[in-house]
Amino acid sequence: MAGNEDPPALAPQQPPPERKARGAWVWEEAQPAKRLRGGEEGEPEPPPPARKPPKRKIVLLLAYSGKGYHGMQRNSGSSQFKTIEDDLVSALVRAGCIPENHGTDMRKMSFQRCARTDKGVSAAGQVVSLKAWLIDDILDKINSHLPSHIRILGLKRVTGGFNSKNRCDARTYFYMLPTFAFAHKDRDVQDETYRLSTETLQQVNRLLACYTGTHNFHNFTSQKGPREPSARRYILEMYCEQPFVREGLEFAMIKVKGQSFMMHQIRKMVGLLVAIVKGYAPESVLERSWGEEKVDVPKAPGLGLVLERVHFEKYNQRFGGDGLHEPLDWAQEEGKAAAFKEQHIYPTIVSTERHERSMAQWLSTLPVHDFSATALAAPSTSAQVPSSLEGSDGDGDTD
């Protein structure tokens, strides 16, 4: 009968997809399609932002004429006194080697210099260490933002913990002065017609040799007591080269290499030498100056002082031949350093001496010094040498 017909069979339901896990079958509900980040389904995810390359520890070989600058070291919080590092850091930021905030806080790039040169002092071989991005054409880009009297001559990769001041074994300076500074006050002409004799040059070198070795130089700096260990300094060599003539004026160069130098030390070493050769002070004052007595030591002008080279012998022995790092000898950059001296340093010294007569004016002050008077120096002082403006002849040691 029509009412007794069976209902049509229903299609069997499909079981949910199944997967096997750890030997047993488990049921898994169907998951909806995931949406990709970026908006619509199927739209590709945007690429991640470009990452800056990692910074690397490097050293820069730096040459500069110091005239018009208040030394090498930057004076934090003072824009009144311009320094070499002010121009250098600005160029590093503008070239894209360091972030802008590293320019305001130099500790962030682990910045260190080998020598904190004094006001007016120049350099042909200063070395600074820092962390920077190694961009393409890095030297050309930095130099394009520097004045012509400041130049980066070379760059090398160094070990991650490298510190240019602490790794430096020795520093070599020269002091360029007109030879009339050696004219005897009673016997010789006191102007630019003077020419250094062989006998006087021999006397100069005999006295300079007395400085070699370890001595107590507390009288050659400020705020150092005679019993402070840091007042003892080791001089490897000191001598005067043959004189030469520039623009009708005869000059000579005094070379000195030492482990480190205190503030004004080299200028006072030259000042006392000149006072002895000119006849204002007896030779015996050298020995007295290394004792505990306080001795009046004149300070020669800063104009002729130049940091010529810094030395890394121990670093080179340990890392220079490891196949990963270059020795810090700068042999390939010597030609550029020599050209910079000829173009910027020597002409500045000669021109300034001719027009401003800094040496001649300083020589006129020698008679007011009393080289016979002595007083017992303070046995010790814990005061530190201020580092604000004048910096140092050498490594800025202010123990």
Side-chain angles (χ1 to χ4, degrees), residues 40-80:
E40 302 298 329
E41 289 188 17
E43 184 179 330
E45 186 175 340
R51 295 181 60 186
K52 284 281 189 181
K55 297 186 185 71
R56 302 299 184 192
K57 180 61 77 72
I58 61 173
V59 292
L60 300 174
L61 179 65
L62 180 66
Y64 53 85
S65 174
K67 185 180 180 182
Y69 289 88
H70 281 73
M72 169 71 181
Q73 186 175 4
R74 197 174 200 183
N75 304 307
S76 57
S78 173
S79 59
Q80 181 181 359

Short mmCIF file of all heavy atoms in Angstrom, two decimals, residues 40-80:
data_model
loop_
_atom_site.label_atom_id
_atom_site.label_comp_id
_atom_site.label_asym_id
_atom_site.label_seq_id
_atom_site.Cartn_x
_atom_site.Cartn_y
_atom_site.Cartn_z
N GLU A 40 43.94 40.92 3.81
CA GLU A 40 43.08 39.95 3.15
C GLU A 40 43.72 38.57 3.16
O GLU A 40 44.94 38.43 3.22
CB GLU A 40 42.81 40.39 1.71
CG GLU A 40 42.17 41.76 1.60
CD GLU A 40 40.81 41.80 2.27
OE1 GLU A 40 40.13 40.75 2.27
OE2 GLU A 40 40.44 42.86 2.80
N GLU A 41 42.85 37.55 3.07
CA GLU A 41 43.33 36.19 3.00
C GLU A 41 44.17 36.01 1.74
O GLU A 41 43.78 36.46 0.66
CB GLU A 41 42.16 35.21 2.99
CG GLU A 41 41.45 35.11 4.32
CD GLU A 41 40.42 34.00 4.32
OE1 GLU A 41 40.51 33.14 3.43
OE2 GLU A 41 39.56 33.99 5.19
N GLY A 42 45.32 35.38 1.90
CA GLY A 42 46.18 35.12 0.76
C GLY A 42 47.14 36.25 0.43
O GLY A 42 48.00 36.09 -0.43
N GLU A 43 46.95 37.43 1.09
CA GLU A 43 47.85 38.55 0.82
C GLU A 43 49.20 38.27 1.48
O GLU A 43 49.26 37.90 2.65
CB GLU A 43 47.25 39.83 1.38
CG GLU A 43 48.07 41.08 1.07
CD GLU A 43 47.42 42.32 1.62
OE1 GLU A 43 46.17 42.34 1.71
OE2 GLU A 43 48.14 43.27 1.97
N PRO A 44 50.34 38.45 0.78
CA PRO A 44 51.64 38.11 1.36
C PRO A 44 52.01 39.05 2.51
O PRO A 44 51.63 40.22 2.54
CB PRO A 44 52.62 38.28 0.19
CG PRO A 44 51.93 39.24 -0.73
CD PRO A 44 50.46 38.93 -0.59
N GLU A 45 52.73 38.51 3.47
CA GLU A 45 53.16 39.29 4.64
C GLU A 45 54.23 40.29 4.20
O GLU A 45 55.12 39.95 3.42
CB GLU A 45 53.74 38.34 5.69
CG GLU A 45 54.10 39.03 6.99
CD GLU A 45 54.57 38.03 8.04
OE1 GLU A 45 54.26 36.84 7.87
OE2 GLU A 45 55.25 38.44 8.98
N PRO A 46 54.15 41.55 4.67
CA PRO A 46 55.16 42.54 4.25
C PRO A 46 56.54 42.15 4.76
O PRO A 46 56.68 41.52 5.81
CB PRO A 46 54.67 43.84 4.92
CG PRO A 46 53.83 43.39 6.08
CD PRO A 46 53.18 42.11 5.61
N PRO A 47 57.59 42.51 4.02
CA PRO A 47 58.95 42.15 4.45
C PRO A 47 59.34 42.89 5.73
O PRO A 47 58.86 44.00 5.97
CB PRO A 47 59.82 42.60 3.27
CG PRO A 47 59.03 43.69 2.61
CD PRO A 47 57.59 43.29 2.78
N PRO A 48 60.15 42.29 6.57
CA PRO A 48 60.57 42.97 7.80
C PRO A 48 61.44 44.18 7.45
O PRO A 48 62.06 44.23 6.39
CB PRO A 48 61.40 41.90 8.52
CG PRO A 48 61.88 40.98 7.45
CD PRO A 48 60.79 40.98 6.41
N PRO A 49 61.48 45.18 8.34
CA PRO A 49 62.30 46.36 8.06
C PRO A 49 63.78 45.99 7.98
O PRO A 49 64.24 45.06 8.64
CB PRO A 49 62.03 47.28 9.27
CG PRO A 49 61.52 46.36 10.35
CD PRO A 49 60.79 45.27 9.64
N ALA A 50 64.50 46.72 7.14
CA ALA A 50 65.93 46.43 6.95
C ALA A 50 66.69 46.67 8.25
O ALA A 50 66.47 47.68 8.93
CB ALA A 50 66.49 47.31 5.83
N ARG A 51 67.56 45.75 8.58
CA ARG A 51 68.34 45.86 9.81
C ARG A 51 69.68 46.50 9.51
O ARG A 51 70.30 46.24 8.49
CB ARG A 51 68.56 44.47 10.43
CG ARG A 51 67.28 43.80 10.89
CD ARG A 51 67.60 42.45 11.50
NE ARG A 51 68.49 42.59 12.65
CZ ARG A 51 69.01 41.54 13.29
NH1 ARG A 51 68.76 40.31 12.86
NH2 ARG A 51 69.80 41.73 14.33
N LYS A 52 70.13 47.35 10.47
CA LYS A 52 71.44 47.95 10.32
C LYS A 52 72.51 46.88 10.50
O LYS A 52 72.36 45.96 11.31
CB LYS A 52 71.64 49.04 11.39
CG LYS A 52 70.91 50.34 11.11
CD LYS A 52 71.66 51.18 10.09
CE LYS A 52 71.08 52.57 9.97
NZ LYS A 52 71.79 53.38 8.96
N PRO A 53 73.59 46.98 9.75
CA PRO A 53 74.67 46.01 9.96
C PRO A 53 75.28 46.19 11.34
O PRO A 53 75.19 47.28 11.92
CB PRO A 53 75.68 46.37 8.85
CG PRO A 53 75.40 47.80 8.54
CD PRO A 53 73.92 47.98 8.73
N PRO A 54 75.89 45.17 11.90
CA PRO A 54 76.47 45.30 13.24
C PRO A 54 77.66 46.26 13.22
O PRO A 54 78.37 46.38 12.22
CB PRO A 54 76.92 43.88 13.57
CG PRO A 54 77.11 43.21 12.24
CD PRO A 54 76.07 43.82 11.34
N LYS A 55 77.85 46.95 14.33
CA LYS A 55 79.02 47.82 14.45
C LYS A 55 80.26 46.97 14.68
O LYS A 55 80.19 45.90 15.28
CB LYS A 55 78.84 48.81 15.60
CG LYS A 55 77.68 49.77 15.43
CD LYS A 55 77.70 50.80 16.55
CE LYS A 55 76.47 51.69 16.47
NZ LYS A 55 75.26 50.96 16.86
N ARG A 56 81.40 47.46 14.21
CA ARG A 56 82.68 46.78 14.37
C ARG A 56 83.66 47.71 15.07
O ARG A 56 83.62 48.93 14.88
CB ARG A 56 83.24 46.36 13.01
CG ARG A 56 82.33 45.46 12.21
CD ARG A 56 82.03 44.16 12.92
NE ARG A 56 81.22 43.26 12.10
CZ ARG A 56 80.64 42.15 12.56
NH1 ARG A 56 80.77 41.85 13.86
NH2 ARG A 56 79.93 41.38 11.77
N LYS A 57 84.55 47.13 15.86
CA LYS A 57 85.59 47.93 16.51
C LYS A 57 86.69 48.21 15.49
O LYS A 57 87.25 47.29 14.88
CB LYS A 57 86.15 47.18 17.73
CG LYS A 57 87.25 47.95 18.48
CD LYS A 57 86.79 49.27 19.04
CE LYS A 57 85.97 49.15 20.28
NZ LYS A 57 86.69 48.76 21.47
N ILE A 58 86.98 49.49 15.31
CA ILE A 58 87.97 49.91 14.33
C ILE A 58 88.91 50.94 14.97
O ILE A 58 88.62 51.47 16.05
CB ILE A 58 87.33 50.54 13.07
CG1 ILE A 58 86.52 51.79 13.46
CG2 ILE A 58 86.47 49.52 12.34
CD1 ILE A 58 85.98 52.57 12.28
N VAL A 59 90.01 51.21 14.30
CA VAL A 59 90.86 52.34 14.65
C VAL A 59 91.00 53.22 13.42
O VAL A 59 91.02 52.74 12.28
CB VAL A 59 92.26 51.91 15.16
CG1 VAL A 59 92.14 51.22 16.51
CG2 VAL A 59 92.98 51.03 14.16
N LEU A 60 91.10 54.53 13.65
CA LEU A 60 91.29 55.51 12.59
C LEU A 60 92.63 56.20 12.81
O LEU A 60 92.95 56.60 13.93
CB LEU A 60 90.17 56.55 12.59
CG LEU A 60 88.74 56.04 12.38
CD1 LEU A 60 87.75 57.19 12.54
CD2 LEU A 60 88.59 55.39 11.01
N LEU A 61 93.41 56.33 11.75
CA LEU A 61 94.64 57.11 11.78
C LEU A 61 94.29 58.54 11.40
O LEU A 61 93.79 58.80 10.30
CB LEU A 61 95.67 56.54 10.81
CG LEU A 61 97.01 57.28 10.74
CD1 LEU A 61 97.76 57.18 12.06
CD2 LEU A 61 97.86 56.72 9.60
N LEU A 62 94.57 59.47 12.30
CA LEU A 62 94.08 60.84 12.18
C LEU A 62 95.24 61.83 12.15
O LEU A 62 96.20 61.70 12.91
CB LEU A 62 93.18 61.14 13.39
CG LEU A 62 92.52 62.51 13.52
CD1 LEU A 62 91.52 62.72 12.41
CD2 LEU A 62 91.83 62.62 14.88
N ALA A 63 95.16 62.80 11.25
CA ALA A 63 96.13 63.89 11.19
C ALA A 63 95.38 65.21 11.26
O ALA A 63 94.29 65.34 10.69
CB ALA A 63 96.95 63.82 9.90
N TYR A 64 95.95 66.19 11.96
CA TYR A 64 95.28 67.49 12.07
C TYR A 64 96.28 68.58 12.43
O TYR A 64 97.33 68.34 13.03
CB TYR A 64 94.16 67.45 13.12
CG TYR A 64 94.56 66.93 14.48
CD1 TYR A 64 95.13 67.77 15.45
CD2 TYR A 64 94.34 65.60 14.83
CE1 TYR A 64 95.48 67.30 16.70
CE2 TYR A 64 94.69 65.11 16.07
CZ TYR A 64 95.25 65.95 17.01
OH TYR A 64 95.60 65.48 18.25
N SER A 65 95.93 69.79 12.02
CA SER A 65 96.63 70.99 12.46
C SER A 65 95.85 71.57 13.63
O SER A 65 94.66 71.87 13.50
CB SER A 65 96.72 72.02 11.32
OG SER A 65 97.28 73.23 11.78
N GLY A 66 96.51 71.72 14.77
CA GLY A 66 95.80 72.09 16.00
C GLY A 66 95.58 73.56 16.21
O GLY A 66 94.94 73.95 17.20
N LYS A 67 96.07 74.39 15.31
CA LYS A 67 95.90 75.83 15.50
C LYS A 67 94.41 76.20 15.47
O LYS A 67 93.67 75.77 14.60
CB LYS A 67 96.64 76.61 14.42
CG LYS A 67 96.59 78.12 14.64
CD LYS A 67 97.32 78.90 13.57
CE LYS A 67 97.22 80.39 13.83
NZ LYS A 67 97.89 81.21 12.79
N GLY A 68 93.97 76.98 16.46
CA GLY A 68 92.58 77.39 16.53
C GLY A 68 91.69 76.43 17.31
O GLY A 68 90.50 76.69 17.46
N TYR A 69 92.27 75.32 17.81
CA TYR A 69 91.50 74.35 18.58
C TYR A 69 92.00 74.31 20.02
O TYR A 69 93.19 74.50 20.28
CB TYR A 69 91.61 72.95 17.97
CG TYR A 69 90.88 72.79 16.66
CD1 TYR A 69 91.51 73.09 15.45
CD2 TYR A 69 89.57 72.33 16.62
CE1 TYR A 69 90.86 72.95 14.25
CE2 TYR A 69 88.91 72.17 15.41
CZ TYR A 69 89.55 72.48 14.23
OH TYR A 69 88.90 72.33 13.04
N HIS A 70 91.09 74.03 20.93
CA HIS A 70 91.45 73.87 22.34
C HIS A 70 91.75 72.41 22.65
O HIS A 70 91.14 71.79 23.53
CB HIS A 70 90.32 74.40 23.24
CG HIS A 70 90.30 75.89 23.36
ND1 HIS A 70 89.89 76.71 22.33
CD2 HIS A 70 90.68 76.71 24.37
CE1 HIS A 70 89.98 77.98 22.72
NE2 HIS A 70 90.47 78.01 23.95
N GLY A 71 92.66 71.85 21.89
CA GLY A 71 93.10 70.49 22.14
C GLY A 71 92.31 69.45 21.38
O GLY A 71 91.42 69.76 20.57
N MET A 72 92.65 68.20 21.63
CA MET A 72 92.02 67.06 20.96
C MET A 72 90.70 66.68 21.61
O MET A 72 89.69 66.51 20.93
CB MET A 72 92.98 65.86 21.00
CG MET A 72 92.37 64.53 20.57
SD MET A 72 92.05 64.47 18.78
CE MET A 72 91.34 62.81 18.66
N GLN A 73 90.68 66.54 22.91
CA GLN A 73 89.56 65.91 23.61
C GLN A 73 88.34 66.82 23.66
O GLN A 73 88.43 68.01 23.93
CB GLN A 73 89.95 65.52 25.03
CG GLN A 73 88.87 64.74 25.76
CD GLN A 73 89.34 64.27 27.12
OE1 GLN A 73 90.44 64.59 27.55
NE2 GLN A 73 88.52 63.51 27.80
N ARG A 74 87.19 66.21 23.42
CA ARG A 74 85.93 66.94 23.46
C ARG A 74 85.61 67.35 24.88
O ARG A 74 85.80 66.59 25.83
CB ARG A 74 84.81 66.04 22.91
CG ARG A 74 83.56 66.79 22.53
CD ARG A 74 82.58 65.84 21.86
NE ARG A 74 81.60 66.58 21.06
CZ ARG A 74 80.61 66.00 20.43
NH1 ARG A 74 80.45 64.69 20.46
NH2 ARG A 74 79.76 66.72 19.73
N ASN A 75 85.09 68.57 25.04
CA ASN A 75 84.71 69.07 26.35
C ASN A 75 83.21 68.93 26.52
O ASN A 75 82.46 69.75 25.99
CB ASN A 75 85.14 70.54 26.51
CG ASN A 75 86.62 70.73 26.27
OD1 ASN A 75 87.43 70.06 26.88
ND2 ASN A 75 86.97 71.65 25.37
N SER A 76 82.79 67.89 27.23
CA SER A 76 81.36 67.63 27.36
C SER A 76 80.69 68.80 28.08
O SER A 76 81.16 69.28 29.10
CB SER A 76 81.13 66.33 28.14
OG SER A 76 81.75 66.40 29.41
N GLY A 77 79.57 69.24 27.51
CA GLY A 77 78.81 70.32 28.12
C GLY A 77 79.34 71.70 27.81
O GLY A 77 78.81 72.69 28.32
N SER A 78 80.39 71.82 26.99
CA SER A 78 80.94 73.13 26.66
C SER A 78 81.12 73.24 25.16
O SER A 78 81.94 72.53 24.57
CB SER A 78 82.28 73.35 27.36
OG SER A 78 82.88 74.56 26.92
N SER A 79 80.36 74.11 24.54
CA SER A 79 80.49 74.34 23.11
C SER A 79 81.31 75.59 22.82
O SER A 79 81.54 75.93 21.65
CB SER A 79 79.10 74.47 22.47
OG SER A 79 78.39 75.55 23.07
N GLN A 80 81.74 76.28 23.87
CA GLN A 80 82.49 77.53 23.69
C GLN A 80 83.89 77.27 23.16
O GLN A 80 84.44 78.07 22.40
CB GLN A 80 82.54 78.29 25.02
CG GLN A 80 83.27 79.62 24.94
CD GLN A 80 83.32 80.31 26.29
OE1 GLN A 80 82.79 79.80 27.28
NE2 GLN A 80 83.95 81.47 26.34
#
